[in-house]
Amino acid sequence: MREVRREKIESLLTTLVGKFLLVHKYPNAVTTLMRVSLNEAGSVATAWLSVLPENMAEKVMGDLEKERYKLNRDVHAYMKSKFIPEVRFALDRGEEFRDRMDELMKM
């Protein structure tokens, strides 16, 4: 997939997933969209999320997976393209790794 097209699709999906997350809020958790990445073929887009507090992450991810078909329906309705990627959710563990590295550096 050409790089310019990939960047445009990722940018559009970032906007659509962000709007989806605004509608599906959780009162006891903060969910942040870190980035959206496409696979090589452009058929699957992964929305990388950070959830705080971390003990709510599994519940939030489970609930979002149940509602994922609504997001994919919205993406299909919005994008006028022959090939539309399926959106999936994944936890971004980068913040946990950064915190661990900070701990190790302080020692």
Side-chain angles (χ1 to χ4, degrees):
M1 178 179 271
R2 291 191 327 218
E3 195 61 34
V4 173
R5 177 171 162 73
R6 175 183 300 281
E7 289 174 4
K8 285 182 180 181
I9 291 173
E10 286 175 349
S11 176
L12 176 64
L13 289 174
T14 299
T15 302
L16 293 174
V17 172
K19 289 179 182 179
F20 178 80
L21 290 175
L22 282 174
V23 172
H24 295 85
K25 294 182 196 174
Y26 295 89
N28 299 328
V30 176
T31 306
T32 306
L33 176 62
M34 303 304 280
R35 67 186 182 282
V36 174
S37 60
L38 282 172
N39 68 349
E40 284 298 317
S43 60
V44 177
T46 304
W48 295 93
L49 305 176
S50 174
V51 180
L52 294 174
E54 293 174 4
N55 62 351
M56 293 287 295
E58 294 304 319
K59 180 183 181 336
V60 170
M61 294 301 287
D63 291 347
L64 287 174
E65 280 297 320
K66 290 178 187 173
E67 299 295 322
R68 186 169 56 113
Y69 75 92
K70 291 180 183 176
L71 173 61
N72 284 316
R73 185 187 63 211
D74 292 344
V75 169
H76 282 266
Y78 190 83
M79 291 179 71
K80 305 295 183 210
S81 177
K82 185 175 181 179
F83 301 106
I84 300 174
E86 174 190 356
V87 180
R88 296 181 182 165
F89 295 109
L91 279 176
D92 184 13
R93 302 275 186 201
E95 192 63 33
E96 291 176 29
F97 294 132
R98 281 188 287 279
D99 290 343
R100 180 70 177 137
M101 291 301 290
D102 287 343
E103 273 182 40
L104 293 173
M105 297 295 280
K106 289 180 183 177
M107 293 182 166

